[in-house]
Amino acid sequence: MIGKIIGAFVGDRIAKQTSGVGGATGAAVGVVAATVLRRMSLPAMLALGAGGYLAKRYFDRQSAQGETSTPPVASTVPRKTKTAKPAKVA
């Protein structure tokens, strides 16, 4: 029971820092994460932690390289604009 409360608290805190996830959704994710972690083996937890650390380093390095390189190319897809209907000629 205490684990679910702590998981809900941590999930709520994470939801406040993450866009697109509300407080109640974050609390539910925290409870589910606590349940999943409880059922995982120790090697799986270590692999998950190492994978998360490596992914964070990779994405941080990619964002650091992106700041010094050229800006991304704008989309080449034409925008849809409202066109006036042609006038009827009598």
Side-chain angles (χ1 to χ4, degrees), residues 28-62:
V29 168
V31 170
V32 170
T35 302
V36 168
L37 285 174
R38 193 176 312 121
R39 295 179 186 269
M40 288 178 71
S41 65
L42 182 61
M45 283 186 215
L46 292 174
L48 185 65
Y53 175 72
L54 292 174
K56 180 188 180 308
R57 285 188 56 201
Y58 173 77
F59 289 122
D60 287 347
R61 186 172 293 155
Q62 290 296 320

Side-chain angles (χ1 to χ4, degrees), residues 1-16 21-38:
M1 180 68 176
I2 298 294
K4 289 183 181 181
I5 293 171
I6 293 171
F9 178 74
V10 170
D12 183 49
R13 291 290 180 176
I14 291 172
K16 289 179 181 178
V21 178
T25 305
V29 168
V31 170
V32 170
T35 302
V36 168
L37 285 174
R38 193 176 312 121

